[in-house]
Amino acid sequence: MTRDILIGIDAGTSVIKSVAFDLAGRQIAFASTPNSYETIGRAGVVQDLARTWADAAKTLLELAGKVENLASRTVAVSVTGQGDGTWMIDKNGEAVGKGWLWLDARAGNVVDNLRKERGDLGRFTHTGSGLAACQQGSQLRWMMNEAPELYAGATTAFHCKDWLYFKLTGKRATDPSEAVFTFGDFRTRAYSDSVIDFLGLEKLKYLLPEIVDGSTTHHKLEGEAARSTGLLEGTPVVLGYVDVACTALGAGLYEPGTDTGCSIIGSTGMHMRLATSPDDVQLNRDLTGYTMCMPIPGIYAQMQSNMAATLNIDWVLSVAGDLFKSVGIEKSKTELLAYVETWLADAKAASVIYHPYISDAGERGPFVDATARASFIGFSSSHRFGDLVRSVFDGLALAARDCYSAMGPLPKRVRITGGAARSASLRKILGGALGASVQTSEREEAGAAGAAMIAAVSLGIYGTMADCVKDWVTPFQRQPEAADEELSLIYEKAFPAYRQSRLALQPTWHMLASSN
């Protein structure tokens, strides 16, 4: 039987999926299941490790039901997943508590205190990444300070994808992207003792696993994992980079000969520029954003991230749903989405300012503040519900502009992916706010594709990632949609008010947080 399939696993915050591709990058089939996590108190968000593995294995079994002879045809499996967070295991490989997600905000005060220390500039110079409550370093420091019993017995601290890789291969490892932006130096792609010392985690250094670059190294599927997934024991397994890096790769941030930005509009929002060397990395004075190693020598993705993107749309739709329910009418999310285009069409652009900081974890880009909260500014008696909805969409676009502005000049073209990229209205609003053409891909599963692309290079199917991109990325790009010049003028005038008002509100957020 010919081996002609690569499988990408993408364990996201909302959905866990496994996707089968042929060796030229065409999607064959996919299987998915909703992800499950829970909140603890006001700030904690955790996920069960055993269930996450069971759900991922389930998607592989379901994929086998859709692809004939999947096991014998699979060249390799590659895994990516939601970033940040802290997932710990003991010496026997058993879970120590539940995994902390990137949504967990308990380490907010730790971040505030560390960012006030002079040494944070040195840490930022090494990592190229700002501190945030979602990161493993901040979370481990909180545990050390507040609840050391949480890591009692732990021998290794993973991220989501690392846990799945361990279950597949028995190998304790993390990838260069997550290891470096949290604990390392992007120039060397290795852990940095000075960064670990600044975080006050010298005593917990033993928790950090080996850094394994999936683009050059892979391990074999173990017997127990083979039985759980239906795949063949010994199948090569590749540790992908963090999901946003894989998604950027699959969506086309890296395509030699082009110069584009890339935005992922999902539960969170990631806005990226490509740095083609360590010297091309542009560090900002506010010490924010991420610098992530890409699975290409010398190449980096610089990112500014909104903590919440489509979570804001989910919120405003839930408000509408509650209103309908209060008068005895039940509406599903799909039904409510059908109203959105009407609401947007009836409202004026940027007539109300909305700051999309709806997450309980606050904001991490282009500024870091765990107390940041969403706000509406400028309502009058003439505004209606459609204006509220429109302001949420405008706010997401202006937040994207805020992020890109922190990384240099605005891009002339932006490639977007994520669930919200399907919305023509959102694409038009985003293009107007950035003054840029917007381009989407026919490829819907960019994260899983990026993971599979790393496997394709690791297994030698392609000699370089640039060669892989020619087959896996370039043919799938749709024609760019030009920016609406009239809209661009409106947002050009609105952006200073958006930014000035979010700066002015910061003391108010802190006052509200201290009173709750």
Side-chain angles (χ1 to χ4, degrees), residues 207-445:
L207 291 174
L208 305 185
E210 176 188 358
I211 299 174
V212 169
D213 188 341
S215 67
T216 59
T217 304
H218 51 271
H219 296 93
K220 294 181 179 180
L221 185 69
E222 289 198 329
E224 185 175 344
R227 289 186 288 274
S228 298
T229 61
L231 298 174
L232 298 181
E233 183 175 357
T235 298
V237 182
V238 172
L239 178 60
Y241 283 41
V242 66
D243 61 350
V244 289
C246 285
T247 300
L249 186 63
L253 178 65
Y254 173 73
E255 185 179 6
T258 67
D259 183 15
T260 69
C262 182
S263 287
I264 307 170
I265 313 295
S267 299
T268 189
M270 278 284 183
H271 311 287
M272 296 170 268
R273 67 172 290 269
L274 194 73
T276 56
S277 71
D279 292 337
D280 189 32
V281 172
Q282 299 181 26
L283 303 180
N284 63 70
R285 290 181 295 178
D286 293 328
L287 314 188
T288 64
Y290 291 80
T291 298
M292 294 191 184
C293 303
M294 293 291 282
I296 309 118
I299 301 295
Y300 304 87
Q302 280 201 264
M303 307 182 185
Q304 287 284 347
S305 173
N306 305 124
M307 188 69 78
T310 58
L311 293 177
N312 292 273
I313 298 173
D314 292 341
W315 170 78
V316 77
L317 290 179
S318 72
V319 171
D322 289 345
L323 288 172
F324 277 115
K325 190 174 182 179
S326 69
V327 294
I329 303 172
E330 294 284 349
K331 293 288 185 181
S332 67
K333 181 179 178 180
T334 300
E335 290 173 318
L336 290 169
L337 281 169
Y339 289 97
V340 168
E341 294 301 322
T342 300
W343 288 328
L344 293 177
D346 291 340
K348 293 182 179 179
S351 66
V352 175
I353 290 175
Y354 174 71
H355 298 107
Y357 315 139
I358 202 70
S359 170
D360 288 340
E363 190 50 275
R364 61 185 176 186
F367 64 97
V368 175
D369 193 330
T371 70
R373 292 296 178 264
S375 57
F376 292 98
I377 298 175
F379 269 115
S380 71
S381 60
S382 64
H383 287 111
R384 295 294 182 265
F385 187 74
D387 298 294
L388 184 147
V389 175
R390 177 63 191 246
S391 69
V392 169
F393 278 70
D394 289 344
L396 291 178
L398 291 170
R401 179 173 177 141
D402 207 10
C403 285
Y404 276 113
S405 296
M407 297 186 288
L410 296 178
K412 297 300 182 183
R413 179 182 298 179
V414 175
R415 288 175 169 171
I416 66 171
T417 186
R422 301 184 187 96
S423 168
S425 293
L426 182 62
R427 295 197 303 271
K428 183 176 180 180
I429 290 169
L430 181 64
L434 296 175
S437 62
V438 171
Q439 190 171 27
T440 59
S441 172
E442 295 175 5
R443 183 182 297 291
E444 293 188 357
E445 304 298 342

